Each structure stands twice: as structure tokens, then as C-alpha cells.
């Protein structure tokens, strides 16, 4: 990865058709042919050497079952046909002793081959449906998350978003940046759960943020509007019999002043990178996640911290802080930021993403959302 990341990225491979073999990754036909021939050769040679050809040929009957788990229906049918030919050939051309065993074996070969082709078709159909659903979810998410970088009078925001996008579908990480009459409002959050239900909550939260950011003059009032949006969404979800969800979030207000406001809602606090030092800001002032405010008596409050010109704030979700190495160690974010203080926002993001991939040996365990907020030179209020 090189240079600033120009858009929020998705790691999913979008299928272009409606569920045929091309939508699912399968082995190459050449590889399937070579593997089938090699397996057959091993079985035949062992049968000739040991004098148990009928018994060992019986092992080939199960070969289509392995093909059904990995290959396309066409490839599975090819393997099944080959196995049937190999098993039936002695019955037709070499009748003799143990002919009954050979006939039974041939019948099983035909039966298992037919079932294997059917099983491959069922698997491809299900995987195709999953790919289409995942593609729909990814497309919806790309519509609600604005491309990066984003520039306002107060900050330059660069970053990356990479959903996990495996069998759990895309996740609920969200972010947004809005220029308002009261300065720049920044949101980063993580919706509980994954899939289309989580994206539905994400759409409501981001929509509420974009509308309230222009209406509410304070960050605490903005967060209260987000809380109300989450509660309304949960009310509608409860009417449909769906589980309620909460959202961890961080809302910031950056204006022409030297200090910046932050309201934490159960989210990872930001890291301030300035003059060779890394500082956690707003720590200790976190409140409960959005959707759970009714469980506590204390209202949400705003924390203030200095955000000097030329410094950078790093915002992230737990996909970064909870990334694990093969040994099970968590990614040491604060320590890794120490050597990346005085670089541009784009280079910081690219360097961190490359580093966490090396740390996890390329295995992504959760959605990854990281924002680098670069403070512009101070302007007159």
C-alpha cells in the first residue's frame, strides 16, 4: 500500500453474476484433472502391488465427495465420470473372479457420483446467495460512508475502512466528517453485530449525525440526538422481533479555537500525535455506548483537550486495537505510534495498516476503521 488512501476500501470480491460457478472461487480444471489422475494412479499401482485392486478401487468411490466440497458442479461431474469409468472398466473388460464385488462397487460409484454432483450444486447455490448478500451489504455501506480524504477549514481527515466480509458479512463500523457553522464535527463508531441488521443501525446513526451536526451547536446535544436515533431504531427493531443493538461512538468538535471537544460513548479514546509524543486524550471521561444512556443516571459530558496546529489525532475501532498476532498478543497501538508521529495523515494510515497486517500475518479478525485527523493552521474565530 502506498500513498494516501483515497477512498474507504472494501476487501470483498463482488460477484458479477447470480450465483453460477464464476461467482465462487473453485480450483482450476487443470489442477482438478491432475489431482484426479494422480490419485487414480496411486490407487491402481498399490492395488497391483498388493493384489487387492477391488478393495483399493473402492477408495476412489469417495473421491467425488471431496470434489463436491471444493469444486464446481461441472468439475465434480467430471471427477465422478472418471471414477465410474475406472471402476466399471474391470467389470466389462475383465470379468472373472470377484465379479459380484466389482458390480457392487460400480453401483456405489454411480450412486456416490450422482450425489456428489447434487451436493456441489447445492453448495454453489448457497455460496452464491451469500456472495450476493455480502455484495449488497457492501454496496449499501459504501453509499453511507463518504470517500476519504475529507477536507474542512479546520482539519484534513484521511483514513481507511476495511470490513471483515467473510461468512459474517460486513460489519457496522462507521465514520463521518461534517463542516458546520460551529466548526468541524467528526464521528467514528462501531455498531454491535454484523450483517444487514448492523448496517441498518449504521444508516440511522450516520443520517442522524449529518442532520444534527448542522442543527445542534454543542457536541453533547449532537450526541443526545444520536442517542435518540439509536433508541428509535431499537424500538422499531423490537416491533419486528429483532434484538436491540448499541453503538460505541466518539464525537469530536474542532473549531477555530486551540482546544477541541470530545464526547466518548464507550469507544476507544483518540491518540494525539504532536512533537514526537503520543498522548491518549479524553481517557476517563467515557460514557456508556449509544442506546444505553437510560441505564445510568449521569448525563454525558464533554472533555476538552489541546489540539495544536500541525498535530494529528488518530481515531480507530477495536479492529485495530484488538488485532492479534499468531501468539495471541494484542496489537500495541500506542507503542507503534511512537515512531510515526511527524508524518502526514495519509502516510500514517498506510504505515499503520501495513504494520498491523504484518503483526497478524495477514489474518484480519475484525472490521478495521482508522482515521487520521490533521489539524490545520489556526485561523481567526
Amino acid at each position: 500500500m502506498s500513498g494516501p488512501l483515497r477512498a474507504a476500501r472494501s476487501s470483498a470480491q463482488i460477484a458479477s453474476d447470480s450465483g453460477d460457478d464464476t461467482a465462487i472461487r473453485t480450483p482450476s480444471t487443470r489442477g482438478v484433472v491432475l489431482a484426479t489422475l494422480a490419485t487414480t494412479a496411486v490407487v491402481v499401482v498399490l492395488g497391483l502391488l498388493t493384489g487387492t485392486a477391488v478393495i483399493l478401487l473402492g477408495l476412489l468411490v469417495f473421491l467425488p465427495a471431496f470434489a463436491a466440497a471444493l469444486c464446481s458442479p461441472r468439475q465434480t461431474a467430471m471427477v465422478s465420470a472418471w471414477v465410474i469409468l475406472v471402476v466399471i472398466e474391470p467389470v466389462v473388460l475383465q470379468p472373472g473372479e470377484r465379479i459380484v464385488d466389482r458390480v457392487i462397487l460400480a453401483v456405489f460409484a454411480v450412486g456416490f457420483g450422482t450425489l456428489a454432483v447434487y451436493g456441489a450444486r447445492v453448495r454453489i447455490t448457497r455460496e452464491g446467495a451469500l456472495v450476493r448478500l455480502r455484495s449488497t451489504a457492501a454496496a449499501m455501506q459504501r453509499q453511507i460512508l463518504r470517500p476519504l480524504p475529507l477536507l474542512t477549514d479546520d482539519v484534513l481527515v484521511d483514513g481507511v475502512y476495511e470490513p471483515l466480509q467473510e461468512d459474517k458479512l460486513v460489519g457496522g463500523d462507521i465514520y463521518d466528517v461534517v463542516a458546520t457553522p460551529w466548526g468541524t464535527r467528526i464521528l467514528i463508531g462501531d455498531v454491535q453485530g454484523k450483517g444487514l441488521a448492523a448496517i441498518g443501525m449504521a444508516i440511522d446513526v450516520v443520517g442522524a449525525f449529518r442532520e444534527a451536526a448542522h442543527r445542534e451547536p454543542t457536541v453533547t446535544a449532537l450526541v443526545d440526538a444520536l442517542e435518540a436515533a439509536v433508541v428509535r431504531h431499537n424500538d422499531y427493531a423490537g416491533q419486528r422481533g429483532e434484538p436491540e443493538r448499541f453503538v460505541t461512538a466518539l464525537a469530536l468538535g474542532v473549531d477555530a479555537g486551540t482546544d477541541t471537544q470530545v464526547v466518548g460513548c464507550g469507544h476507544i479514546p483518540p491518540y494525539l500525535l504532536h512533537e514526537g509524543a503520543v498522548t491518549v486524550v479524553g481517557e476517563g471521561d467515557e460514557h456508556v455506548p449509544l442506546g444505553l444512556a437510560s441505564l445510568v443516571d449521569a448525563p454525558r459530558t464533554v472533555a476538552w483537550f489541546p489540539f495544536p496546529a500541525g498535530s494529528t489525532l488518530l481515531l480507530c475501532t477495536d479492529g485495530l486495537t484488538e488485532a492479534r498476532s499468531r501468539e495471541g498478543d494484542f496489537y500495541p497501538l500506542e507503542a507503534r505510534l511512537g515512531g510515526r508521529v511527524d508524518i502526514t495523515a495519509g502516510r500514517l494510515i498506510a504505515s499503520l495498516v501495513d504494520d498491523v497486517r504484518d503483526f497478524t500475518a495477514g489474518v484480519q479478525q475484525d472490521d478495521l476503521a482508522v482515521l487520521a485527523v490533521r489539524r490545520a493552521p489556526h485561523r481567526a474565530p
Side-chain angles (χ1 to χ4, degrees):
M1 187 182 305
S2 61
L5 300 174
R6 296 299 175 184
R9 293 172 35 195
S10 167
S11 60
Q13 178 180 358
I14 306 301
S16 60
D17 52 78
S18 59
D20 61 13
D21 296 356
T22 61
I24 308 299
R25 289 184 177 180
T26 57
S28 66
T29 300
R30 180 181 179 184
V32 173
V33 170
L34 293 177
T36 303
L37 293 178
T39 304
T40 304
V42 170
V43 170
V44 171
V45 171
L46 288 177
L48 294 176
L49 294 177
T50 61
T52 57
V54 174
I55 297 176
L56 289 176
L57 282 177
L59 298 177
L60 289 179
V61 173
F62 299 99
L63 188 58
F66 290 100
L70 301 173
C71 303
S72 68
R74 188 177 307 167
Q75 293 169 335
T76 304
M78 179 184 64
V79 174
S80 300
W82 171 258
V83 170
I84 292 171
L85 288 176
V86 171
V87 172
I88 289 181
E89 184 269 339
V91 177
V92 177
L93 302 181
Q94 304 173 22
E97 297 181 2
R98 309 187 69 174
I99 186 63
V100 175
D101 293 342
R102 294 177 182 274
V103 170
I104 293 175
L105 187 58
V107 171
F108 271 99
V110 173
F112 276 122
T114 303
L115 289 175
V117 174
Y118 173 75
R121 288 193 175 278
V122 171
R123 176 182 63 83
I124 289 294
T125 299
R126 289 179 177 175
E127 292 183 1
L130 180 61
V131 167
R132 293 194 301 275
L133 182 60
R134 185 169 58 206
S135 302
T136 300
M140 292 173 60
Q141 206 157 33
R142 286 195 298 272
Q143 291 301 314
I144 67 171
L145 299 180
R146 300 171 63 189
L148 298 169
L150 295 169
L151 179 66
T152 71
D153 291 339
D154 307 293
V155 294
L156 167 67
V157 182
D158 207 341
V160 63
Y161 173 59
E162 293 184 350
L164 180 61
Q165 290 223 357
E166 290 183 350
D167 56 336
K168 295 180 180 178
L169 304 177
V170 294
D173 286 8
I174 54 176
Y175 67 84
D176 204 6
V177 180
V178 178
T180 74
W182 304 281
T184 301
R185 301 289 188 256
I186 303 171
L187 171 71
I188 187 169
D190 186 359
V191 179
Q192 177 194 14
K194 299 182 183 297
L196 291 176
I199 292 180
M201 174 70 84
I203 292 173
D204 280 357
V205 173
V206 172
F209 174 79
R210 290 173 179 171
E211 191 275 333
H214 291 280
R215 184 187 69 232
E216 303 295 345
T218 66
V219 180
T220 49
L222 169 61
V223 173
D224 290 341
L226 301 183
E227 172 74 23
V230 173
V231 171
R232 285 194 301 270
H233 183 97
N234 282 333
D235 288 341
Y236 293 138
Q239 295 173 13
R240 299 191 300 267
E242 298 177 0
E244 296 184 354
R245 299 173 184 272
F246 61 82
V247 182
T248 66
L250 201 66
L252 292 95
V254 185
D255 56 22
T258 57
D259 289 340
T260 291
Q261 307 172 62
V262 59
V263 177
C265 305
H267 199 78
I268 302 165
Y271 292 82
L272 177 65
L273 285 66
H274 181 58
E275 294 183 347
V278 179
T279 307
V280 182
V281 294
E283 192 174 28
D285 295 313
E286 300 93 342
H287 203 268
V288 295
L290 298 174
L292 303 180
S294 61
L295 302 180
V296 297
D297 295 330
R300 291 190 173 94
T301 58
V302 65
W304 296 78
F305 63 90
F307 187 13
S311 60
T312 301
L313 276 177
L314 185 88
L315 316 177
C316 66
T317 58
D318 57 11
L320 182 62
T321 57
E322 296 183 3
R324 289 177 179 265
S325 66
R326 289 183 175 178
E327 293 74 27
D329 300 323
F330 286 114
Y331 182 69
L333 176 58
E334 188 170 351
R336 298 300 177 98
L337 286 174
R340 299 178 169 85
V341 175
D342 299 317
I343 59 177
T344 64
R347 288 180 57 199
L348 172 63
I349 294 297
S351 176
L352 274 180
V353 172
D354 287 342
D355 188 51
V356 76
R357 283 177 177 166
D358 292 339
F359 183 80
T360 61
V363 179
Q364 185 177 347
Q365 296 112 355
D366 199 358
D367 309 307
L368 181 66
V370 189
L371 299 181
V373 184
R374 186 76 170 181
R375 185 69 140 108
H378 285 310
R379 56 186 175 86

